[in-house]
Amino acid sequence: MRTTARPWTARWRPALAALALLASTAHAQTPPPFEDSMAQRLLACTGCHGPQGRAGRDGYYPRLAGKPAGYLYQQLLSFREGRRQYGPMNTLLAPLSDDYLQAIATHFASLDLPYPPPQSPAMAPADQLRAQTLVRQGHAQRKLPACQQCHGEALLGRQPGVPGLLGLPRDYLLAQLAAWRQGERRSRAPDCMADIARRLDPEDIRAVADWLSAQAVPTGAKPAPASDGKLPLRCGGLP
């Protein structure tokens, strides 16, 4: 004898089928188990700074991977304490302790990752000479030390707290040098980078940013070890 479906069963059958489909889809998309690791916690950072802190695609968010831990820690402190102003960073770091900021800095500093190919902006010969002179020799009359005196001969930074200048996007270099020059970025006194940036002309800043962003980073290159001698300027932001 044939049985017929009850009216309520027939009425709800499409809805039940849809719920079953949603349940199976949700099960298939279930994320992997949470790992309580710094790498997973810091996905909030890599959303802007690129996977593993390799740098953002937009040319503004800088690379974090492989920079000296002391430098990264000081910048995190500066954002938290308001010396550097960028709303998302200030808000994100406001509740974090010194120890946690140090853990973040240590994590990114430990990453040994290849650098992307450099940018190749077109430069006039005079601009190339201007940039190379400032980077390699400085300008004694204007009391400008050479960039490599602090940032290392290879321009990849110096332990424990001086950042590298290579492997950074041109737009980021332009923005940061301009921010130092205009007082929008600050460090603890004596603020050596602010002093240097104010002695640079806008043409100097443009030429140096163009030149630095066009330099390749040698494979396996690392920040220079801590210097036994004194830096050419006193810098309050160094650890």
Side-chain angles (χ1 to χ4, degrees):
M1 179 177 177
R2 184 180 179 185
T3 59
T4 58
R6 295 181 179 179
W8 70 268
T9 305
R11 187 183 314 120
W12 288 100
R13 185 176 293 155
L16 293 171
L19 288 173
L21 178 60
L22 286 173
S24 63
T25 303
H27 179 73
Q29 296 179 351
T30 299
F34 177 76
E35 297 176 3
D36 190 10
S37 65
M38 286 303 294
Q40 191 163 55
R41 294 181 193 180
L42 298 182
L43 291 177
C45 303
T46 59
C48 292
H49 290 274
Q52 298 175 293
R54 293 173 183 252
R57 294 182 178 180
D58 60 2
Y60 185 77
Y61 294 97
R63 180 184 176 99
L64 304 177
K67 285 188 175 180
Y71 170 76
L72 293 174
Y73 176 62
Q74 290 299 320
Q75 300 316 301
L76 292 170
L77 285 177
S78 290
F79 277 117
R80 192 189 68 185
E81 296 169 6
R83 287 185 294 275
R84 291 188 70 174
Q85 291 292 328
Y86 181 59
M89 287 290 293
N90 301 130
T91 301
L92 186 66
L93 299 176
L96 302 184
S97 67
D98 290 359
D99 288 344
Y100 201 82
L101 296 184
Q102 185 66 68
I104 294 173
T106 300
H107 169 79
F108 282 116
S110 70
L111 300 179
D112 185 8
L113 303 169
Y115 284 78
Q119 300 172 355
S120 298
M123 294 188 68
D127 288 337
Q128 291 187 18
L129 179 60
R130 177 199 293 260
Q132 288 178 313
T133 300
L134 290 170
V135 170
R136 301 297 186 192
Q137 301 172 28
H139 196 296
Q141 288 76 17
R142 294 158 65 188
K143 297 182 179 179
L144 281 168
C147 299
Q148 68 180 29
Q149 285 184 264
C150 294
H151 294 271
E153 186 173 350
L155 300 172
L156 291 173
R158 187 182 300 280
Q159 298 290 1
V162 182
L165 300 179
L166 302 188
L168 292 170
R170 172 183 180 272
D171 289 348
Y172 177 78
L173 290 166
L174 283 171
Q176 298 311 305
L177 287 170
W180 285 116
R181 190 171 187 269
Q182 297 167 8
E184 296 173 0
R185 179 173 174 179
R186 303 184 304 278
S187 186
R188 291 190 175 97
D191 195 341
C192 57
M193 272 306 304
D195 291 340
I196 290 171
R198 283 193 290 266
R199 298 171 194 169
L200 293 171
D201 297 329
E203 294 78 9
D204 296 329
I205 290 176
R206 178 179 53 79
V208 167
D210 285 349
W211 189 85
L212 288 172
S213 65
Q215 307 308 304
V217 180
T219 302
K222 304 283 186 184
S227 175
D228 293 333
K230 292 183 178 179
L231 295 176
L233 294 173
R234 291 182 58 217
C235 296
L238 293 179

